[in-house]
């Protein structure tokens, strides 16, 4: 497979939430052209089995590879948790970056005492990939994984703050962080104490809740957003492979593809990115 520096990067997600990763990539790598593919016909992935998610992710990756890409970014946490190895095996030579490894590494560094709470979809939690990846970089860490499925629909409804959103966030997170005040020094060694001191956002949608989550967990908790850490990792990967784009930033292009409902894609996109995406700019694709 020949990889050209000025080919686009393919970015894949189950739907629209992966635009948080696209946004981080555009900020970090403005000269890169991007093709974003959201599998809106089969959303959500977060409630599906490992086999279904891997099958969908491989189909999406094949579609992007057929269009010509120099690297694949798996923005979807659920696909990153279940399908990354299968994707790397299917496309040897193509740089494939998921969101789990960069997020896990950043959490391992940011957590003062190794008490890390990962919030994600049900399917990502079941995969156990985040705790494994965190333990690779921080062996003594005490990782608690918490499925927060209602956050996904709440964000897609545009409810990123306000009393209902706050109640939901407190329902999920207070039991894991309420002791933060007294547990902050909790034992002073990795894994000691009760309350988390680091919150890892293991789902595309959760960066949209950042101000609310900050208020709920308090200022002493490190919050890691895997979208920004992934953009940094993609930059390193491209540099390492000699694949960084050479064009001026104003010539970089972004294409949007969806497998269903471009209108909804365009409408919900406004929750995740500050620029408008008109429905007629979203191309329909059939993954077969
Ligand atoms: N993109 C998914 C993730 O990051 C959330 C939405 C879904 O369940 O498909 O896990």
């Amino acid at each position: 497979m020949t990889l050209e520096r000025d080919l686009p990067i393919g970015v894949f997600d189950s739907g629209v939430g992966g635009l948080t990763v696209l946004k981080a990539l555009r900020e970090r790598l403005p000269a890169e052209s991007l093709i974003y593919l959201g599998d809106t016909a089969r959303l959500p992935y977060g409630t599906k089995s490992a086999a279904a998610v891997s099958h969908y992710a491989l189909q999406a990756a094949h579609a992007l590879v057929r269009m010509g890409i120099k690297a694949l970014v798996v923005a979807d946490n659920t696909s990153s948790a279940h399908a990354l190895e299968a994707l790397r095996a299917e496309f040897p030579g193509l740089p494939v970056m998921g969101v789990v490894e960069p997020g896990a590494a950043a959490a391992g560094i940011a957590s003062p005492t190794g008490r890390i709470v990962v919030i994600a979809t049900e399917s990502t939690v079941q995969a156990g990939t985040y705790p494994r990846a965190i333990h690779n970089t921080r062996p003594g860490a005490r990782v608690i994984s918490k499925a927060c499925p209602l956050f996904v629909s709440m964000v897609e409804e545009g409810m990123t703050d306000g009393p209902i959103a706050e109640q939901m966030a407190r329902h999920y997170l207070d039991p894991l962080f309420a002791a933060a005040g007294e547990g902050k020094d909790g034992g002073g060694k990795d894994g000691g104490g009760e309350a988390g001191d680091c919150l890892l956002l293991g789902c595309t949608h959760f960066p949209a809740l950042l101000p609310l989550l900050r208020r709920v967990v308090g200022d002493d908790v490190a919050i890691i957003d895997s979208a920004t850490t992934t953009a940094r990792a993609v930059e390193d990967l491209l540099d390492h492979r000699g694949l960084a784009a050479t064009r001026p930033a104003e010539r970089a292009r972004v294409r949007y593809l969806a497998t269903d409902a471009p209108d909804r894609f365009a409408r919900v996109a406004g929750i995740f990115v500050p620029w408008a995406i008109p429905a007629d700019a979203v191309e329909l694709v059939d993954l077969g």
Side-chain angles (χ1 to χ4, degrees), residues 63-74:
L64 286 166
V65 167
R66 277 196 299 273
M67 288 172 202
I69 55 171
K70 65 179 178 185
L72 176 68
V73 176
V74 185

Side-chain angles (χ1 to χ4, degrees), residues 98-167:
V99 285
V100 171
E101 287 160 4
I109 292 166
S111 170
T113 62
R115 296 192 301 269
I116 299 168
V117 175
V118 183
I119 54 173
T121 65
E122 241 177 279
S123 187
T124 298
V125 168
Q126 270 163 20
T129 316
Y130 267 110
R132 279 197 295 280
I134 292 169
H135 286 133
N136 281 342
T137 58
R138 182 89 181 244
R142 174 170 176 260
V143 184
I144 296 174
S145 304
K146 175 82 181 161
C148 300
L150 293 171
F151 276 171
V152 172
S153 26
M154 202 174 78
V155 169
E156 292 202 0
E157 282 296 308
M159 290 168 61
T160 52
D161 211 328
I164 298 174
E166 177 155 350
Q167 211 177 344

Side-chain angles (χ1 to χ4, degrees), residues 12-18 20 36 39 42-48 75-81 99 120-124 130 149 152-153 156 202-206:
F12 160 63
D13 181 46
S14 58
V16 189
T20 50
Y36 180 92
D39 189 8
R42 301 187 286 202
L43 179 79
Y45 283 13
T47 52
K48 305 227 162 49
D76 178 43
N77 286 256
T78 309
S79 303
S80 297
V99 285
T121 65
E122 241 177 279
S123 187
T124 298
Y130 267 110
V152 172
S153 26
E156 292 202 0
C203 175
T204 47
H205 289 51
F206 299 173

Side-chain angles (χ1 to χ4, degrees), residues 88 179 182 221 243 254 264:
R88 286 181 173 150
E182 74 244 32
V221 171
L243 283 172
V254 184
R264 185 173 193 278

